[in-house]
Amino acid sequence: MMAGINYLKPVRKWLDAEVAIQYSRHWLTARSAPMPGQYSWDVNASLITVPVMMRFNFLRYFYGMGGLIFNADLSKPEFDSQTGVGVTIGLGAKYDFRNGVSVFLNPYFNHNGLVTFGSADFSGLERLLESGVRLGFMMPLNHQDAP
């Protein structure tokens, strides 16, 4: 589950800068390496994420996106901390209505905790790889000065 708010700033007709703040909750089953036996355990993870991305618009309704994600891991220490920097990539489709509102569908892939902070132990290899689909809407926030 993920919820957040994004800000999109057009740079060129074909390029947008995007920044967001998001909260996500993950319910996972972790598995050990299969030697000599394999075991598994349930893990919960909660992250506050700030993605900083670039969107590359192509054709009329489509875009590719990618960038860095900055994570703050709010979880109990059941799993290696994901606090740090990761990467995100994805493709998307959007439709702009005449009134300025847009809807979008965006399959994505995140690699969290690629570079982690706050831990002196670099031996942990537990990294959250996440894929999903964002569905949302955007509306313009035009600033108009009062007379």
Side-chain angles (χ1 to χ4, degrees):
M1 176 207 58
M2 179 191 302
I5 187 164
N6 295 36
Y7 176 74
L8 191 66
K9 173 72 175 166
V11 177
R12 303 264 187 272
K13 183 175 182 173
W14 56 272
L15 182 67
D16 300 319
E18 183 175 3
V19 66
I21 186 163
Q22 302 168 337
Y23 172 79
S24 60
R25 178 90 173 152
H26 305 273
W27 296 270
L28 316 165
T29 299
R31 290 189 179 83
S32 68
M35 53 179 188
Q38 188 175 35
Y39 60 94
S40 63
W41 64 100
D42 292 329
V43 178
N44 295 318
S46 297
L47 300 175
I48 292 180
T49 303
V50 176
V52 178
M53 304 172 286
M54 297 304 287
R55 282 178 127 180
F56 304 92
N57 303 306
F58 61 95
L59 300 174
R60 184 176 178 167
Y61 302 105
F62 302 99
Y63 61 91
M65 46 75 72
L68 297 175
I69 50 178
F70 301 91
N71 294 321
D73 191 343
L74 307 176
S75 308
K76 296 176 187 173
E78 309 174 24
F79 196 70
D80 284 351
S81 176
Q82 304 300 301
T83 297
V85 180
V87 293
T88 184
I89 59 170
L91 293 172
K94 63 182 175 72
Y95 182 78
D96 301 319
F97 293 98
R98 288 188 183 134
N99 63 0
V101 173
S102 301
V103 295
F104 66 89
L105 183 68
N106 173 214
Y108 67 91
F109 174 79
N110 289 349
H111 187 271
N112 297 286
L114 192 60
V115 176
T116 58
F117 304 134
S119 174
D121 180 14
F122 295 103
S123 63
L125 298 175
E126 298 169 335
R127 298 294 176 253
L128 183 59
L129 303 176
E130 164 191 6
S131 61
V133 178
R134 295 186 314 162
L135 173 64
F137 72 95
M138 295 183 290
M139 59 185 191
L141 300 175
N142 294 335
H143 299 293
Q144 297 193 7
D145 297 328

